[in-house]
Amino acid sequence: MIVLEVLSGVLLVAGALFLLSGAVGLLRFPDFYTRIHAVGVTDSVGAGLILLGLLLRTTAWDTGIRLVIILLFMALTSPTATHILAHAARRDGVRVWREGDPRR
């Protein structure tokens, strides 16, 4: 039981750190494409780690099944949404940042 508690805590902290690094990337990166990449990757990994950490803490089967369903749903929709946003921005003419350009 102690091993599961420690592993769950490690997963929860790692997920929170991933999400925090995505927030920092959102604030620090220079353009839309690098920002959406930072948030998209860290959102998927961070939320997945947090859901796995919560899955290790649950004792009820119905709660565990719900967490797995949420994990699968996020694993499918988060990268898809990021791709669609980037594709729509490219189609609408949002330019890629180049060295020397002002930050947008």
Side-chain angles (χ1 to χ4, degrees):
M1 273 324 233
I2 295 293
V3 173
L4 287 179
E5 291 290 324
V6 170
L7 184 59
S8 173
V10 167
L11 288 172
L12 290 170
V13 169
L17 289 175
F18 267 95
L19 291 174
L20 181 64
S21 70
V24 170
L26 181 65
L27 295 173
R28 297 287 300 157
F29 284 144
D31 73 330
F32 176 78
Y33 297 108
T34 54
R35 288 177 184 162
I36 198 170
H37 176 72
V39 172
V41 170
T42 59
D43 175 46
S44 299
V45 175
L49 289 174
I50 287 175
L51 287 169
L52 286 175
L54 291 174
L55 187 62
L56 291 178
R57 289 188 181 255
T58 188
T59 57
W61 281 100
D62 58 340
T63 306
I65 290 172
R66 287 182 183 131
L67 287 172
V68 169
I69 289 171
I70 292 169
L71 181 65
L72 292 174
F73 180 76
M74 287 201 60
L76 291 174
T77 58
S78 183
T80 305
T82 302
H83 173 76
I84 289 172
L85 282 172
H87 183 72
R90 188 74 173 156
R91 188 189 64 223
D92 288 346
V94 177
R95 292 182 350 122
V96 176
W97 181 81
R98 303 270 187 234
E99 184 81 32
D101 287 350
R103 291 174 52 116
R104 290 180 253 154

